[in-house]
Amino acid sequence: MTGATDLLRRLVGRRLTTASGRLNTVIEVRPPHVIVSTERSPNGQPVPVAWVDDALSRLLRDGCVELHPRTSTYRSAFIGAVLLTLPGARASGSPPVITLDAPPQLETTTGAFTFEGDLERFGIATRRGEQALLRQRLFASATDADCAICGETYPVRFLRAAHIKKRAVCTEEEARDLDHIAMPACLLGCDALFEAGYQCRQA
């Protein structure tokens, strides 16, 4: 169930679109349940994480999963919305079936590896509205600054305005508190390690 729990925690606060176009929002993950807000239940209702995990396992194993109460429980619409956040996932048919696109294959003509897919793909991404002001607050006009984790000094282009608490689980008040929510973290390892949950100690 770890895979489904981790996936759901990354989706906290995001508005998810079901295959029929309705909106669901993951409010909180409290194993063995995830709390989900819908148009009918704006304050949230519990959904067993095990249901999401079962559908996720079948999708990864078989490459497709049908979203129908007889196969995916009565919260199949929400489960489908979660699965559609996976790279390469798409929905089709009625009742909807979620499928995963097969990963691109390497062609080995004349003994050389070549890629036959599109080299560029277009999409829509959201941006963090406070990011520019957050960097300005941390670095101002400085050209160099210290990484808050390893203590080394780097040019600011090698430092990220890293959230001390994961932004996805911040309250709106916390996310707007630019004086206390972030720290400089270097891109030479500290930012990635901290994001992955590793504890770093200065020498």
Side-chain angles (χ1 to χ4, degrees):
M1 194 183 299
T2 303
T5 301
D6 289 345
L7 174 60
L8 290 166
R9 282 177 174 152
R10 291 198 296 269
L11 299 177
V12 170
R14 279 184 53 178
R15 302 181 73 187
L16 310 180
T17 304
T18 69
S20 62
R22 295 185 178 277
L23 295 177
N24 286 187
T25 302
V26 176
I27 298 177
E28 187 179 1
V29 180
R30 295 198 305 246
H33 294 96
V34 53
I35 310 303
V36 183
S37 170
T38 66
E39 295 174 2
R40 292 183 178 180
S41 303
N43 294 325
Q45 290 290 329
V47 176
V49 175
W51 291 358
V52 181
D53 188 65
D54 177 67
L56 177 62
S57 297
R58 285 188 284 130
L59 178 62
L60 296 178
R61 182 191 66 215
D62 304 330
C64 66
V65 62
E66 183 185 36
L67 298 180
H68 193 282
R70 70 171 180 267
T71 57
S72 300
T73 77
Y74 79 98
R75 293 309 300 265
S76 57
F78 165 69
I79 294 171
V82 172
L83 297 182
L84 285 172
T85 66
L86 297 173
R90 54 191 174 87
S92 60
S94 180
V97 174
I98 303 292
T99 57
L100 279 179
D101 291 337
Q105 300 296 312
L106 290 172
E107 300 292 338
T108 56
T109 56
T110 67
F113 285 107
T114 60
F115 174 69
E116 300 300 327
D118 294 332
L119 290 175
E120 295 183 0
R121 295 185 178 183
F122 298 92
I124 299 175
T126 58
R127 295 184 178 181
R128 297 179 176 184
E130 80 280 10
Q131 187 64 24
L133 189 58
L134 189 59
R135 285 190 64 85
Q136 181 182 354
R137 185 63 179 167
L138 283 177
F139 306 120
S141 60
T143 56
D144 301 285
D146 295 340
C147 171
I149 297 175
C150 68
E152 297 293 331
T153 301
Y154 298 102
V156 293
R157 67 179 180 275
F158 295 127
L159 294 166
R160 174 164 292 170
H163 278 72
I164 299 169
K165 178 180 179 180
K166 285 185 179 293
R167 187 176 184 272
V169 296
C170 287
T171 64
E172 181 173 343
E173 182 180 359
E174 288 172 333
R176 293 180 182 277
D177 185 2
L178 303 188
D179 285 331
H180 301 100
I181 197 59
M183 65 182 177
C186 72
L187 299 175
L188 281 72
C190 289
D191 179 62
L193 289 170
F194 185 78
E195 182 70 18
Y198 286 90
Q199 298 295 323
C200 303
R201 293 185 301 174
Q202 296 186 24

